[in-house]
Amino acid sequence: MDFPYLTIASAAAALRQGEFSAIELTRAALQRIEAYNGDLNAYITLDPEGALAAAEVADRRLKSGDATPLTGIPIAMKDIFCTRGLRTTCSSRMLADFVPPYDATVVRKLREAGAVMMGKTNMDEFAMGSSTETSYFGITRNPWDRERIPGGSSGGSAAAMAASLCLGATGTDTGGSIRQPAALTGLTGLKPTYGRVSRYGMIAFASSLDQAGPMTWTAEDAALLLQAMAGHDPLDSTSIDAPVPDYAAHLNGSIKGLRIGVPGEYFGEGLDPALREVLDNAQQLFRKLGAVIFPVSLPHTEYAIPTYYILAPAEASSNLARYDGIKFGYRCDQPRDLSDLYTRTRAEGFGSEVKRRIMLGTYVLSSGYYDAYYRKAQKVRRLIAGDFETAFHQVDLLLTPTTPSTAFRLGEKSDDPVRMYLSDIFTINVNLAGLPGISVPCGVDGQGLPMGMQLIGRPLEEAVMLKAAHAYQQATGWHKRRPRL
Amino acid sequence: MSLPIETVQHVAKLARLRITGEEAEVYAQQLSRILGLMAQLDRLPTDDVAPMSHAVAVALPERPDRVTGVDQREALLACAPESEEGCFRVPKILE
């Protein structure tokens, strides 16, 4: 077994052919974790006993013929999903000792599919960040270059995947937190349509934007993982009640005649020239495969960052009001009175980026500023969503860069919140509009660092995105590169 | 636009965050810069635009009013920093 070069699809086939057992596969993942996790800090909580027990059950299911494509597959779970009996921290001191009494719907579904959960991965605290440098549990390093960030907020999942410490991982994406780390670590990362995957038990950041999705090597694996994660959930009132298509069955369709739009606003001055060249090549390849490329315009693109950094902190400041030191989570020592309990618990339990966003959100929602900021941003959000609606009258998919540059150095942007916020410039529009987006590896820069392109689809048309990404991967080899560790 | 320290302290109070004088100054600077970024939106006329609060137009679903949850009192109290006799324990709020 050559673990780093396995995919979910190839491992599932090998498990069925008896090339190795789920126990052997899980042990191989544990050995790699033992060798590499200490330095990378991809996982912050490991569950070897739970993983081996799940692998044993998986082997029985594989024998009895009652297996799914995920049965026996080692996966990593972002530490934002509640796991019954297993510490769930959101990478915050506030939840450092929190052991949830229930499973998130995503966790339950993946367990039921027979996936083997190796542990919980590091992230920016409460998913607020683009570099995984705000975690209470320390930074995560990029397996392609350990002096660089793996992206964020799902940076632990990205590093666990890129270093082959699992075969599939979950992430969540509020402004790019699946797609950006996927792009910076050479993965395929998919943010589904808002409401496609249940948010129940997924610790809330900005509830109108948060969405969970898969991080894998290939579009085929993303299809398999999304299949198990997606679907209506009565426990999430924003969950969409629409049938889930068979994503894997749609992968191999032809993309002849598929109309792909290229929005000029995403190819402006800030874009790394190497990325521009790689994306030109991708367009040419899609043309060769039979797709038709159109220039389109998304005129409100430049307003996305200010809109997002009003709405997301506003929602976050409300969501994080629950951390008051009373029912669960951290509580300060020796509170003098209730007010002291609240203010000290929150001052000590939250890190600086989380506090900054709570302050920002509280400010834009406060009396006298609500209309000028929050309401204004909600209006601009409609204009941004309208841009996409118009574009999708002309085209089936949009093609853009995922990030403005490849992985930056550790510490390079951590002292400057505004510079850090700008790293989400190509991804946050998709969250504001609630659309599905996927990042696909499409090249490397001069230092061998991975680059990603983003495909954006119509609501609930994940299958179209996956088909295009799969066609691209059948014709290229970028998704087959692995870092030397 | 620069945010006065008093405003920062007021917002911290609303957010129930204890901050030091030094932190207040850092926040005043950083928040001012971020709010400067947001001022871009003022260029955009939006009088006739309806605010958008959610990506998908969903009506809040209803469900029958039935007891569905099992009794989880012990499991939930076990998550609390302090509990006593089946209750969450907090500092005294009335003298």
Side-chain angles (χ1 to χ4, degrees):
Chain A
M1 165 196 332
D2 193 1
F3 195 95
Y5 290 90
L6 289 174
T7 61
I8 293 176
S10 72
L15 284 167
R16 277 159 185 75
Q17 282 151 17
E19 281 176 39
F20 46 73
S21 67
I23 287 275
E24 286 165 338
L25 188 61
T26 300
R27 287 221 172 94
L30 286 170
Q31 273 168 17
R32 292 191 61 87
I33 291 169
E34 174 82 24
Y36 301 114
N37 193 58
D39 184 33
L40 296 171
N41 199 32
Y43 291 95
I44 52 174
T45 302
L46 286 162
D47 185 19
E49 293 85 18
L52 287 167
E56 216 180 295
V57 175
D59 276 329
R60 283 204 297 276
R61 279 180 72 173
L62 283 155
K63 269 203 194 88
S64 71
D66 155 47
T68 79
L70 296 184
T71 305
I73 302 295
I75 60 161
M77 192 66 72
K78 185 175 182 179
D79 204 22
I80 198 168
F81 295 100
C82 285
T83 43
R84 186 186 177 132
L86 186 65
R87 181 176 84 144
T88 300
T89 70
C90 234
S91 286
S92 180
R93 184 184 191 191
M94 191 60 92
L95 293 175
D97 300 312
F98 175 52
V99 179
Y102 69 106
D103 272 340
T105 296
V106 163
V107 173
R108 176 180 60 77
K109 282 174 161 258
L110 290 175
R111 284 195 208 274
E112 283 170 6
V116 174
M117 195 175 73
M118 307 304 300
K120 310 291 291 289
T121 57
N122 202 14
M123 51 186 281
D124 280 298
E125 185 182 6
F126 284 102
M128 297 177 191
S130 310
S131 65
T132 315
E133 290 172 298
T134 72
S135 168
Y136 177 63
F137 298 95
I139 58 159
T140 294
R141 292 173 185 275
N142 189 326
W144 293 90
D145 177 347
R146 294 181 200 203
E147 295 312 309
R148 292 176 191 270
I149 57 103
S153 67
S154 311
S157 283
M161 267 307 295
S164 297
L165 312 183
C166 59
L167 295 179
T170 58
T172 60
D173 191 316
T174 304
S177 286
I178 288 174
R179 291 160 289 155
Q180 184 254 18
L184 303 187
T185 55
L187 305 175
T188 301
L190 189 155
K191 182 202 93 75
T193 309
Y194 181 82
R196 179 75 290 186
V197 174
S198 169
R199 292 185 296 112
Y200 178 75
M202 187 176 114
I203 295 171
F205 162 14
S207 304
S208 82
L209 304 163
D210 297 343
Q211 183 62 200
M215 300 171 80
T216 54
W217 288 119
T218 64
E220 182 184 19
D221 283 3
L224 297 173
L225 201 46
L226 179 62
Q227 196 74 47
M229 294 170 76
H232 180 243
D233 181 9
L235 297 174
D236 171 3
S237 65
T238 58
S239 162
I240 295 177
D241 193 358
V244 180
D246 184 341
Y247 295 115
H250 286 91
L251 279 176
N252 286 306
S254 158
I255 64 160
K256 225 176 167 72
L258 190 77
R259 298 168 303 168
I260 301 179
V262 178
E265 291 82 359
Y266 283 66
F267 292 83
E269 293 204 345
L271 185 63
D272 183 336
L275 255 164
R276 186 187 303 272
E277 193 187 322
V278 153
L279 290 163
D280 280 344
N281 296 341
Q283 289 173 43
Q284 276 173 32
L285 181 61
F286 274 122
R287 254 192 222 111
K288 241 171 67 188
L289 296 171
V292 193
I293 309 285
F294 287 93
V296 293
S297 175
L298 302 169
H300 296 97
T301 298
E302 62 175 306
Y303 299 106
I305 296 248
T307 303
Y308 177 87
Y309 280 97
I310 293 170
L311 296 179
E315 292 185 23
S317 71
S318 309
N319 271 326
L320 271 58
R322 75 190 68 182
Y323 301 103
D324 57 6
I326 291 175
K327 290 183 178 166
F328 66 122
Y330 177 79
R331 173 184 284 198
C332 67
D333 264 344
Q334 308 278 325
R336 275 196 326 274
D337 52 32
L338 198 60
S339 161
D340 185 47
L341 169 69
Y342 290 152
T343 57
R344 212 145 48 81
T345 292
R346 290 165 64 77
E348 293 168 12
F350 291 134
S352 62
E353 180 59 28
V354 172
K355 283 192 257 193
R356 185 154 46 240
R357 296 208 196 181
I358 290 174
M359 292 285 289
L360 192 57
T362 305
Y363 178 75
V364 300
L365 290 175
S366 66
S367 171
Y369 297 99
Y370 181 89
D371 282 337
Y373 290 105
Y374 187 67
R375 210 172 151 77
K376 178 82 183 179
Q378 283 191 313
K379 289 177 165 201
V380 181
R381 182 177 184 182
R382 185 170 300 282
L383 295 174
I384 290 168
D387 283 356
F388 285 101
E389 263 178 60
T390 307
F392 281 128
H393 288 306
Q394 299 169 264
V395 298
D396 306 304
L397 281 179
L398 295 165
L399 185 156
T400 76
T402 308
T403 57
S405 67
T406 50
F408 46 89
R409 290 185 184 281
L410 292 165
E412 191 178 320
K413 299 186 184 178
S414 46
D415 292 334
D416 186 347
V418 169
R419 266 188 81 206
M420 186 69 91
Y421 296 172
L422 293 173
S423 37
D424 303 329
I425 193 154
F426 299 138
T427 45
I428 57 181
N429 287 297
V430 175
N431 300 79
L432 290 169
L435 300 170
I438 190 170
S439 180
V440 182
C442 68
V444 292
D445 71 3
Q447 285 131 359
L449 295 169
M451 299 174 168
M453 73 169 151
Q454 175 175 238
L455 299 172
I456 305 166
R458 294 196 188 95
L460 296 179
E461 291 195 355
E462 283 82 1
V464 179
M465 257 168 31
L466 284 165
K467 184 168 79 172
H470 183 67
Y472 179 84
Q473 291 182 338
Q474 295 309 104
T476 57
W478 302 115
H479 59 290
K480 293 180 183 158
R481 294 179 74 247
R482 302 290 182 267
R484 211 173 308 141
L485 292 176
Chain B
M1 166 192 156
S2 188
L3 220 51
I5 293 287
E6 301 75 49
T7 307
V8 173
Q9 275 157 348
H10 173 67
V11 171
K13 199 177 153 207
L14 292 176
R16 300 292 183 272
L17 282 172
R18 171 161 306 179
I19 58 170
T20 64
E22 206 177 304
E23 283 172 322
E25 274 173 41
V26 175
Y27 282 130
Q29 253 178 38
Q30 289 178 336
L31 296 181
S32 301
R33 250 197 96 199
I34 299 168
L35 292 171
L37 187 75
M38 292 170 178
Q40 283 177 43
L41 298 187
D42 298 341
R43 296 204 301 259
L44 209 56
T46 50
D47 285 352
D48 302 328
V49 183
M52 175 172 167
S53 56
H54 250 275
V56 278
V58 280
L60 272 185
E62 294 180 346
R63 62 167 173 79
D65 187 14
R66 273 202 313 264
V67 177
T68 52
V70 288
D71 179 8
Q72 297 194 67
R73 190 167 82 161
E74 291 312 312
L76 295 176
L77 281 171
C79 298
E82 263 191 276
S83 65
E84 197 178 304
E85 294 178 32
C87 298
F88 297 109
R89 196 181 152 88
V90 293
K92 201 152 87 173
I93 54 165
L94 289 174
E95 286 308 320

